[in-house]
Amino acid sequence: MCLYIETPNTQKIPAENDSGFNFVIDELLASNEQLKRINLALNNKNTEIIESMEYARLIHQAILPKQRHFDRAFKESFYIYHPKQIIGGDFYWVTTINELSYVILGDCTGHGIPGALLSVLGFSLLNYIILGKNITGCKDIIAELDQRVIDSFHQTNEMRFNNDWIAASICCYNHQTQTLEFCGAMQNLYLVRDGNITELKGNKYPVAGWQIVNERDFTLYKIPVRENDIVYLTSDGIADQFGGPGNKKFNRRRLKELLLSVSKSNMVKQREMIIHVIEKWKGKQEQIDDISLIGIKF
């Protein structure tokens, strides 16, 4: 490309900055090509990360119990598990040992891969504590889980604890005595009985984290279960979700009202209704946390 300057006698003379202009154009073209290469590399890397997370999700879901495992432990039940990202930090654990059926819900710090890795640690520790060490009582289980998670993150050289922690609900149902035990760490249990809902509050400190070990003494609830009682365990993902009129949090009051309103339906229908309400409330707002909820009818 060449620039010309018109002279009075209409003779065209090449502009003095022609070479400089060409240099700028060449630099812009080179920069554009470099940006294209960088963008392509970033897209490829992003695709690799997403594919890795999708594969990690499959592995994570393979670890978590299926509905058939709940069916072996309890008469009627359902679970809702909606991670914020492809994989999440919530997890649930269920099994039956002789006359005892356990259901545990955990909510780990973080989302995505870090949260999922911590949830796998919690899941593995529960296998070790309950199935390996044969620790059966809810209070003993949560205390052992607390210490094991702390030990996992203990920095021996610096003598400090990592602040990773788990909010958890631990329930054990004795089929012979028809008694339900519950311990909660920053999670509550909701009991629906005879058209009323009762909230049993867990302790205000989590499993592990920064708190001093000796200060953690988890409260044990023992509930004589009646026929048609329903209990719900949930992480804070539903209550903390923004949406609805005014873009407010769903909050625990609405959650309790929702659980009570759906409790007259069968468990399959309850699950559908709860998911519908959550999705309608969220609307176009971003999901801010992993969402997990478990319902069990006796």
Side-chain angles (χ1 to χ4, degrees):
M1 178 178 182
C2 186
L3 295 179
Y4 291 89
I5 298 175
E6 294 285 344
T7 63
N9 58 2
T10 69
Q11 181 182 2
K12 294 183 179 180
I13 303 174
E16 293 182 357
N17 65 343
D18 181 50
S19 59
F21 184 80
N22 287 337
F23 175 78
V24 171
I25 293 296
D26 291 341
E27 285 293 306
L28 289 174
L29 291 174
S31 298
N32 186 52
E33 289 300 320
Q34 185 178 13
L35 287 174
K36 287 182 179 179
R37 290 193 295 269
I38 292 172
N39 188 52
L40 180 61
L42 289 174
N43 286 336
N44 291 337
K45 183 60 66 176
N46 186 55
T47 300
E48 291 178 7
I49 292 172
I50 292 175
E51 289 177 350
S52 295
M53 291 185 68
E54 288 286 357
Y55 187 57
R57 178 182 64 85
L58 294 176
I59 296 172
H60 195 247
Q61 288 185 343
I63 295 172
L64 296 174
K66 310 299 185 293
Q67 184 61 52
R68 65 177 182 273
H69 299 112
F70 282 90
D71 294 340
R72 293 170 188 165
F74 303 101
K75 182 177 70 173
E76 295 182 63
S77 62
F78 72 85
Y79 68 91
I80 296 171
Y81 178 69
H82 291 168
K84 168 181 166 59
Q85 299 177 3
I86 297 174
I87 54 177
D90 286 4
F91 71 94
Y92 48 94
W93 192 95
V94 62
T95 195
T96 296
I97 305 172
N98 299 321
E99 73 278 4
L100 303 178
S101 288
Y102 295 90
V103 58
I104 298 169
L105 177 63
D107 179 0
C108 303
T109 52
H111 309 294
I113 293 175
L117 288 174
L118 184 54
S119 74
V120 171
L121 172 64
F123 192 94
S124 300
L125 287 174
L126 288 172
N127 282 336
Y128 171 74
I129 293 166
I130 299 175
L131 302 180
K133 295 191 69 176
N134 297 315
I135 296 176
T136 58
C138 287
K139 190 167 184 176
D140 294 331
I141 291 170
I142 200 169
E144 184 73 11
L145 179 64
D146 180 49
Q147 188 58 55
R148 292 286 174 178
V149 176
I150 289 174
D151 291 344
S152 298
F153 287 101
H154 184 223
Q155 308 295 318
T156 55
N157 294 331
E158 301 179 17
M159 295 301 295
R160 66 180 179 85
F161 298 106
N162 191 288
N163 198 34
D164 292 300
W165 49 262
I166 302 173
S169 296
I170 299 184
C171 292
C172 176
Y173 177 62
N174 189 314
H175 291 266
Q176 289 186 355
T177 63
Q178 296 183 330
T179 301
L180 180 71
E181 288 189 355
F182 164 69
C183 280
M186 293 181 66
Q187 285 189 4
N188 304 333
L189 178 145
Y190 299 95
L191 169 66
V192 174
R193 173 182 291 172
D194 299 330
N196 298 299
I197 186 166
T198 303
E199 181 179 6
L200 304 182
K201 296 185 177 181
N203 297 98
K204 294 183 179 180
Y205 37 78
V207 168
W210 54 266
Q211 293 84 357
I212 299 173
V213 179
N214 293 334
E215 292 182 354
R216 280 197 286 264
D217 181 24
F218 295 97
T219 303
L220 175 66
Y221 294 90
K222 290 188 177 181
I223 309 164
V225 174
R226 302 179 188 174
E227 188 176 3
N228 295 322
D229 278 356
I230 305 176
V231 297
Y232 300 95
L233 309 177
T234 178
S235 65
D236 57 6
I238 297 176
D240 288 348
Q241 180 60 49
F242 286 93
N247 192 29
K248 299 178 181 179
K249 283 188 176 183
F250 194 78
N251 71 41
R252 289 196 301 181
R253 177 185 60 81
R254 289 189 183 89
L255 176 59
K256 290 167 67 174
E257 292 173 353
L258 172 61
L259 296 177
L260 184 60
S261 67
V262 303
S263 62
K264 295 180 182 180
S265 302
N266 64 58
M267 302 305 274
V268 174
K269 186 64 176 178
Q270 284 190 38
R271 183 179 186 276
E272 295 174 354
M273 294 167 69
I274 292 171
I275 291 175
H276 174 74
V277 170
I278 295 170
E279 290 299 317
K280 184 177 180 180
W281 177 265
K282 183 176 66 174
K284 296 182 179 180
Q285 298 297 322
E286 178 185 359
Q287 182 175 326
I288 67 167
D289 198 359
D290 301 324
I291 289 176
S292 297
L293 188 146
I294 295 172
I296 296 169
K297 186 174 182 178
F298 297 94

